Amino acid sequence: MNQSNRFEAGRFHAGRFSGNIAETDQAPYSVSMSGLTINPTHGPTAEIGVQLVASAHSFPNGAPATIAWQWRNDEGDIPGATEATFVPSALADLDNIYPVAFPSDGYPSWSGAAHTVRYAPPTLGASLDDVNLMADSGDIDIAIDGGFAGDNLNYSLASELSGLQINANTGLVTIATNGDVQSGSVTVSATNSGGTATQDFALAINDEPFIVEINGLQNGTAIVDSTLAAEVVWFIPQGEIDRIRWRSNGKVIPGEWDPSYTVDPTMAGTMLSCTVTSVSNGANTSEAYPVS
């Protein structure tokens, strides 16, 4: 089907010429499209995979006996799209499409407003885990695609940290750990023609696998007869603890090998600390605190 004199005698309508009314600027009837989705960024959208339905109404001399249809894009007729219904495919992404009505009973052809075909906007998936790595451990790959859901996604990242790259197609983030020890936030985004979804995760590149902290202190002091607890704060995926040793003035306190320790009165006036040895990641000792 061809719309005769579309440009020569038409009028500019919804971003293009349509109709062929020479003697009046009024539309001879109305052509509309249902099935549009409301995209939060772009407004009414012809979403890929969602059926659209064209209709014609408000005929001044009564409804015609028949109406033929042709869907078009910016290039012209869409092959095979000659029904009132039309489902945009991925091949039509970012095309501007519109229906053209061809009524019988002497009515001229007329087109509806054009709308852009887009994918459904991406949504957030699982929350991204924070990443803790050891310095000088080579290039580490982190998959972030599970943090998003959607079709035809393109991935990107933004961060003040150095040594980060992302594969735009797969969402695989490569982190170079052979630079400076650093920590901060990484923002990753997934984008398609329908919009963008964004998540953050914290990244830390550390020069030691863990530290030991002592809980139960009062203003930085270990109080006699109080119970303290050693806490291991991991900077890498948690390893296995081999042994714990509480120390007084740097020397191991005999028999005190549990994570908790009740301060013996004989420790008053000394400096108390705790050493934790892991199976695969070495040992570390807490700061030493005065006993009072």
Side-chain angles (χ1 to χ4, degrees):
M1 298 180 185
N2 291 312
Q3 184 177 3
S4 62
N5 301 322
R6 183 177 178 208
F7 294 100
E8 291 81 353
R11 68 189 184 92
F12 198 69
H13 175 67
R16 65 188 187 285
F17 284 96
S18 62
N20 62 12
I21 307 303
E23 61 276 3
T24 177
D25 193 44
Q26 296 298 313
Y29 52 89
S30 297
V31 175
S32 60
M33 183 195 311
S34 62
L36 298 170
T37 60
I38 304 302
N39 183 286
T41 302
H42 303 286
T45 297
E47 187 173 300
I48 291 170
V50 177
Q51 179 175 273
L52 304 173
V53 181
S55 61
H57 44 88
S58 301
F59 290 93
N61 299 316
T66 61
I67 303 176
W69 292 97
Q70 175 64 60
W71 290 82
R72 290 179 173 166
N73 58 25
D74 292 333
E75 301 301 320
D77 291 353
I78 300 173
T82 57
E83 303 290 337
T85 58
F86 178 66
V87 179
S89 71
L91 295 176
D93 189 28
L94 294 178
D95 284 352
N96 297 307
I97 64 170
Y98 56 95
V100 183
F102 294 84
S104 62
D105 301 346
Y107 286 109
S109 59
W110 197 254
S111 58
H115 291 279
T116 303
V117 177
R118 299 180 185 276
Y119 283 96
T123 57
L124 296 180
S127 297
L128 298 178
D129 293 331
D130 294 339
V131 177
N132 293 293
L133 302 172
M134 281 291 294
D136 299 321
S137 57
D139 290 347
I140 306 298
D141 290 333
I142 304 294
I144 58 91
D145 57 318
F148 304 95
D151 295 318
N152 200 43
L153 299 181
N154 184 276
Y155 299 95
S156 61
L157 67 77
S159 179
E160 295 182 353
L161 303 179
S162 61
L164 304 180
Q165 294 182 339
I166 190 169
N167 185 306
N169 295 319
T170 66
L172 194 69
V173 177
T174 300
I175 304 169
T177 66
N178 294 335
D180 296 331
V181 173
Q182 56 182 336
S183 63
S185 180
V186 180
T187 299
V188 290
S189 301
T191 301
N192 63 16
S193 60
T196 299
T198 299
Q199 282 212 59
D200 297 332
F201 68 89
L203 169 64
I205 299 177
N206 309 281
D207 57 0
E208 55 187 353
F210 65 89
I211 60 173
V212 181
E213 295 182 349
I214 295 179
N215 297 324
L217 301 170
Q218 296 185 25
N219 297 320
T221 299
I223 303 301
V224 167
D225 292 329
S226 67
T227 299
L228 308 178
E231 179 184 4
V232 178
V233 179
W234 289 92
F235 295 136
I236 61 173
Q238 182 172 333
E240 183 180 354
I241 300 303
D242 180 42
R243 62 182 180 272
I244 297 173
R245 298 291 185 266
W246 290 89
R247 296 176 180 271
S248 174
N249 291 336
K251 295 182 179 181
V252 172
I253 301 173
E256 299 298 342
W257 303 336
D258 294 327
S260 62
Y261 169 63
T262 299
V263 182
D264 190 275
T266 60
M267 297 294 111
T270 67
M271 300 294 290
L272 188 71
S273 61
C274 183
T275 298
V276 174
T277 302
S278 68
V279 173
S280 303
N281 302 110
N284 209 337
T285 299
S286 70
E287 293 185 31
Y289 297 95
V291 178
S292 175

